[in-house]
Amino acid sequence: MTNFYGKGVCGGIALGKVYVADRERRHIRRIGIKDVKEQLGRFETAKEKAREQLSHIYEKALIEVGETNAEIFSIHMMMLEDEDYNESVINIIETQKVNAEYAVDVTGENFARMFANMDDAYMRARQADVRDVSQRIVSCMSEGEEKEGEMDDNVIVCAHDLSPSETVVLDKSKVLGFVTSHGSSNSHTAILARNMALPAVIGVGDKFLESIDDGDFIIVDGYDGRIIVNPDGETIEAYKKKRQKDLHKKELLKNLKGKENVTLDGRKINIYANIGSAENIGDVLYNDAGGIGLFRSEFLYLEREDFPSEQEQFEVYKTVLESMAGKKVVIRTLDIGADKQAEYFCLEKEENPALGLRAIRICLTRPEIFKTQLRALYRASVYGNLAIMFPMIVNVWEIEKIFSLCEEVKKELCEGGIRYSENVEIGIMIETPASAIISDILAPRLDFFSIGTNDLTQYTLACDRQNPSLEQFCDTHHTALLRLIKYACDSAHKNGAWVGICGELASDTSLTEEFIKMGIDELSVSPSQVLSVREKVRSIRIE
Ligand code: PEP
Ligand code: MG
C-alpha cells in the first residue's frame, strides 16, 4: 500500500482499477527479431486490413459528411501506398532487424517531422495524417495479439495530463475518476472531471505513474487529494464507508432541486451550468441549472480532421437550445489555440501560445471560419433563447468588427430567406485585464459580460494556468483579481448590462457571499456544482 498526494480538484471518493491513458507510457517497443520475412508479412497484412477499414470509413463518410470531407480518407489510402513510406518501413525492418510496429512508428514520426518543417500550410497539416495512418497500421498489427489501449469498465484514468482532444475521445461511461501526475486546477482534465462530477486529483508527480500499471487497484480521495495504491482490506472498507457518506450528502443536496437561488434576506442570483457538448445537457437538467452560462463551442472543432460544417454546428446548437426549452443558452464562439489545438487549423508554432493567435484573434483573422459559426448560431437562434459570447477581447475595435460580421451574416441570411431571431443577446468574456479595465467603455455596446476567471487569473497574475508548479503563486482570491471583477461588475450595471462569472471561481463557495455583495447576476458552474452553490446562496444573509 503506497500513498501519493496531489491537489483534489473535484470532491468525491472512487475505488477502482487503474487505466493508464498516457501516450508517453504507451510507446511502441523496439524488439529485435530473427525472421525478417515474418515481419514484412505482418506489415503487408496490416496494410491490407488498414486499406479495408479506410475504404469502409470513406464510404460511410461520403454518406454522412459529403465528398469534400470524406476526401481525407482517400488521402490516407494513398499514403498507405506511398513508395517512400513503404521503402522506409521495409528498410528499417531489414537493416535493423526489428519488429514491424517499431519500423512503422519510426517511419511515421520521421515523415511527420518532415511535413512539420514544410513551408506550405497544407503540407504541414499532413503530419497529423501520416501519424494517423501509422497508428492505424500498428493497431491492425496488434489486433488479437494484445489488448493494450482498450478500456475496461469502471476504471480510474491515470495520465501525465490529458489534452482537450484526448478528453473528447475518452469513453466517459467507463470512468470512475481521474489522477494526473501534472496538470493544474484550471486544466481541462480538472474541468472535465468537474463536468462529469467525478473525483479527481492532479499534480501527484511523476513517481506515481512509474509505480502503477493497468489493473492495479487504487483509491482516489478528491477531497484530500490522496491516492492509495493497492490498499489493504481495512483501508478499502474505511473508504467504502467514506464513499457511502459522500453519496448520502450528495443525495441530500438533491432536495434543493426546484428551490430558488435566494439568500436569507431575499437576494436572487442565477445559477447556470457550463458545458462542452450537447451530451452534457442531461446533467444540466438533472442538476436543475437555470440555463447554460457557457457552452465551450470549440469542443466541436477538436479531435477531427476538418472543420465542422455550418449544418453540423447548426444541428448541435439547435439541439442544445431546444433541450433548454426557452432557458438562456450562452454559446461562446470558437476559443481554439493555446491549450486547445486542432492540427487542421494549421496554426504557426508559437513561442507563447497563451499570448498568441487564439480565440477571437483567429476568428477575426480568418473570417470565413468565424462566419460559418455565426451563420450556424443565428440559424439556430429561432429554436430557443440564445446569447452569443466572444472570448479573449482586448480592444473596442474587436467588438466593432464582430458586430459588422454579425450584420453581414444576418443580411446574408435575410437575403437567402433564412429565419433568425432579432433577440439574440451579445456579450463578451472578461478574461483579460485589458477588457476588465476598459469594461466601462465596452459595456454600453453589450448586453452582458461573463467573467472568465481561469484566464483572467493567468493573465492578471502572470501565472501560466497549465503549469502546476505555479499553484502557490496563483492566488485566485488575489485583491487584483477581485478588484477587476468588481470594476467589470459596476461597469456592466451602470450601462444596463448583466454580468456573470463562468470561470472555475464561480463555484468557489468561499467567495459566493462576496460575489453577491458585488452584485454579480449569474454564476455559471459545472452541472454537478449547481446544487452546492445553491445551498451556499440559501445560507447567506447579506444585511
Ligand atoms: C475562463 O477563462 O475562465 C473560461 C471560462 O474559459 P476557458 O476555461 O475555456 O479558457
Ligand atoms: Mg478562457
Side-chain angles (χ1 to χ4, degrees), residues 332 335 340 358 391-392 429 431 452 454-456 465:
R332 174 175 76 186
D335 185 18
K340 298 170 203 146
R358 56 168 293 204
M392 273 293 284
M429 305 245 341
E431 54 184 347
N454 307 337
D455 278 319
L456 189 60
R465 66 191 267 192

Side-chain angles (χ1 to χ4, degrees), residues 349-353:
K349 215 173 154 15
E350 296 175 307
E351 282 294 316
N352 293 304

Side-chain angles (χ1 to χ4, degrees), residues 448-451 485 488-489 492-493 497-501 519-522:
F448 68 96
F449 288 151
S450 185
I451 302 173
I485 296 175
C489 187
H493 290 157
W498 60 268
V499 57
I501 300 179
I520 294 286
D521 303 290
E522 174 245 28

Side-chain angles (χ1 to χ4, degrees), residues 305-403:
E305 303 281 347
D306 207 347
F307 296 96
S309 67
E310 177 188 318
Q311 183 61 21
E312 194 180 330
Q313 293 190 57
F314 162 73
E315 302 283 355
V316 175
Y317 304 147
K318 176 173 176 267
T319 304
V320 173
L321 285 160
E322 282 183 336
S323 317
M324 291 306 290
K327 289 182 178 164
K328 197 183 296 295
V329 174
V330 181
I331 302 185
R332 174 175 76 186
T333 57
L334 181 60
D335 185 18
I336 215 103
D339 57 329
K340 298 170 203 146
Q341 291 289 340
E343 296 206 24
Y344 61 86
F345 273 75
C346 299
L347 300 173
E348 297 289 335
K349 215 173 154 15
E350 296 175 307
E351 282 294 316
N352 293 304
L355 304 179
L357 194 64
R358 56 168 293 204
I360 201 67
R361 298 171 181 180
I362 295 179
C363 292
L364 294 180
T365 45
R366 296 170 72 177
E368 71 290 354
I369 300 174
F370 193 33
K371 278 180 73 179
T372 304
Q373 180 170 38
L374 290 174
R375 277 180 66 91
L377 284 166
Y378 274 106
R379 279 175 58 198
S381 64
V382 290
Y383 295 94
N385 182 1
L386 173 68
I388 306 179
M389 169 158 84
F390 301 95
M392 273 293 284
I393 298 294
V394 169
N395 296 295
V396 176
W397 69 260
E398 290 160 349
I399 295 182
E400 309 291 1
K401 180 84 189 139
I402 288 166
F403 278 130

